[in-house]
Amino acid sequence: MDWFGFAREVSLGVVHNIAMMAMIIIPIMLVLEIARDLKILDRIAEWLAPVVGVFRLSREAAFPLLVGIIFGIAYGAGVLIEEARSGRLSWKDLFLINVFLSVCHAVVEDTALFIAVGANGVVILLGRFVVAVILTFLLSRSAWLERESLKRGAPVLLVPPGGTGGKCC
């Protein structure tokens, strides 16, 4: 076996793969940073706030969820830690956001990377999103989550978000 030839081929393959990943990730991160600086992500999070109610999450959970979906676990974790320390998110919000992001995170760059190696991006994107939605929805309705929320001092949600519980005003 020609070890020098093997090492040369492996090295060229690694450099090629790193260059391909950099060509995908760097432009995406630049666009996302510009969107963040222009507060475009904040506006999208405001639009998503009513949608997160489906998972019985607070409106404040929309921004960290959006950041994690787009940027990924590392950057999303930074936002989640900041939100948790500020007290704006409950334990239940944090738990459900983490469940969703465990399955569906960094959808832009991950999908682009998988497409670059020949995968079907639509299947990957939709598959991850559907599984995350179903899993998070089911957990948000579980008795276990309500018990854990009570243990941690969170109020029990007896009325769905946006509901009035039979009161008129």
Side-chain angles (χ1 to χ4, degrees):
M1 179 168 192
D2 177 21
W3 287 104
F4 180 73
F6 174 75
R8 185 173 43 93
E9 189 172 330
V10 167
S11 298
L12 288 175
V14 167
V15 168
H16 177 266
N17 287 340
I18 290 172
M20 184 175 22
M21 287 174 19
M23 289 177 5
I24 292 169
I25 292 171
I26 291 171
I28 289 171
M29 293 307 292
L30 284 171
V31 169
L32 291 175
E33 283 297 319
I34 291 167
R36 187 176 68 111
D37 290 343
L38 295 175
K39 305 284 187 210
I40 293 171
L41 294 179
D42 290 332
R43 284 181 255 156
I44 294 171
E46 286 175 22
W47 176 79
L48 277 178
V51 176
V52 297
V54 171
F55 301 117
R56 296 183 174 168
L57 290 166
S58 66
R59 294 178 68 81
E60 291 78 19
F63 183 71
L65 186 61
L66 177 66
V67 170
I69 290 170
I70 294 173
F71 286 101
I73 295 290
Y75 191 78
V79 173
L80 277 174
I81 290 168
E82 181 182 319
E83 294 290 321
R85 286 184 179 157
S86 74
R88 289 185 290 256
L89 295 175
S90 68
W91 176 86
K92 182 179 172 182
D93 287 341
L94 292 168
F95 178 80
L96 290 172
I97 290 169
N98 280 301
V99 166
F100 191 95
L101 292 180
S102 294
V103 179
C104 190
H105 60 273
V107 295
V108 177
E109 70 184 63
D110 283 0
T111 305
L113 288 172
F114 282 114
I115 289 171
V117 295
N120 184 330
V122 174
V123 170
I124 290 172
L125 187 59
L126 284 177
R128 290 174 70 192
F129 185 74
V130 167
V131 169
V133 166
I134 291 170
L135 183 61
T136 307
F137 181 82
L138 292 174
L139 279 170
S140 74
R141 301 301 195 265
S142 72
W144 172 84
L145 186 62
E146 291 303 324
R147 283 192 308 274
E148 286 298 312
S149 293
L150 280 174
K151 283 182 193 176
R152 290 157 174 32
V156 177
L157 182 62
L158 298 175
V159 179
T164 59
K167 298 178 185 174
C168 69
C169 307

